[in-house]
Amino acid sequence: MELKSFYREIVNEHNLRPMHRGALEHPDLELRGVNPSCGDDIILQFQVKDGIIEDGGFQGSGCAISQASVDMMLDNCIGRPVEEAIRLAEKFHGMIQGEITDEEELEELEEAAALQDISHMPARVKCAMLGWRTMKEMLEEPEKAKKEDN
């Protein structure tokens, strides 16, 4: 199978059958992310305990790239310390901006590395970044995203 075809298959799988779509019953953090340039709109939720992201989910709508990207992000970040998730978001941003291209370095992004070619499609960069940007903001500024009704 051709590599680009394989990557397209990964994106399609995460878009059509996202594992993390749906609301969490008792999220600790929740933040809405919007991409006004194309209408992508998500609500990202996390359960965080002792600095570890224990669970995550998302709701909303958007293009295939935005939906697949947020699902891949959750696959990669659930079970990790908050600081590590922030670092992965920064690495993903560097990849999407074309600043990080080393395959070994990108392995840590797991399936999300399939979105590397988005760096050549400026109109799609914000789509791919939406979930990652929202997560980074939520984790760096949890006071903006605290859920009070738990």
Side-chain angles (χ1 to χ4, degrees):
M1 180 184 296
E2 184 183 316
L3 195 57
K4 285 189 189 253
S5 175
F6 177 68
Y7 287 147
R8 213 174 357 259
E9 198 172 299
I10 291 170
V11 171
N12 283 337
E13 183 66 25
H14 280 277
N15 176 50
L16 298 173
R17 288 176 277 291
M19 289 181 50
H20 303 288
R21 176 178 289 287
L24 296 182
E25 199 165 312
H26 299 289
D28 300 307
L29 301 173
E30 178 179 288
L31 191 62
R32 183 176 183 200
V34 177
N35 176 2
S37 64
C38 73
D40 298 331
D41 188 348
I42 63 166
I43 295 174
L44 185 61
Q45 297 177 319
F46 279 151
Q47 290 174 340
V48 179
K49 185 173 181 185
D50 299 325
I52 305 291
I53 299 169
E54 291 191 335
D55 201 2
F58 74 99
Q59 302 168 71
S61 60
C63 68
I65 291 172
S66 74
Q67 300 296 286
S69 183
V70 72
D71 196 57
M72 287 186 247
M73 176 200 75
L74 287 163
D75 267 357
N76 203 346
C77 292
I78 293 171
R80 293 186 188 246
V82 166
E83 297 78 21
E84 204 171 314
I86 292 169
R87 186 181 54 74
L88 287 173
E90 291 166 351
K91 184 173 283 194
F92 184 83
H93 182 258
M95 177 190 76
I96 291 295
Q97 294 296 315
E99 298 161 359
I100 299 174
T101 58
D102 179 64
E103 294 297 323
E104 274 188 44
E105 191 172 351
L106 296 177
E107 280 181 18
E108 190 176 19
L109 293 174
E110 299 175 5
E111 287 185 329
L115 297 171
Q116 183 176 11
D117 281 346
I118 299 294
S119 66
H120 305 298
M121 300 177 249
R124 308 307 293 201
V125 166
K126 288 182 181 178
C127 303
M129 281 299 305
L130 179 61
W132 297 83
R133 180 180 46 80
T134 304
M135 176 185 71
K136 188 172 186 283
E137 181 181 350
M138 182 182 355
L139 296 176
E140 287 181 336
E141 301 176 59
E143 64 281 354
K144 290 172 116 179
K146 284 270 191 233
K147 290 292 288 179
E148 301 300 328
D149 53 64
N150 286 335

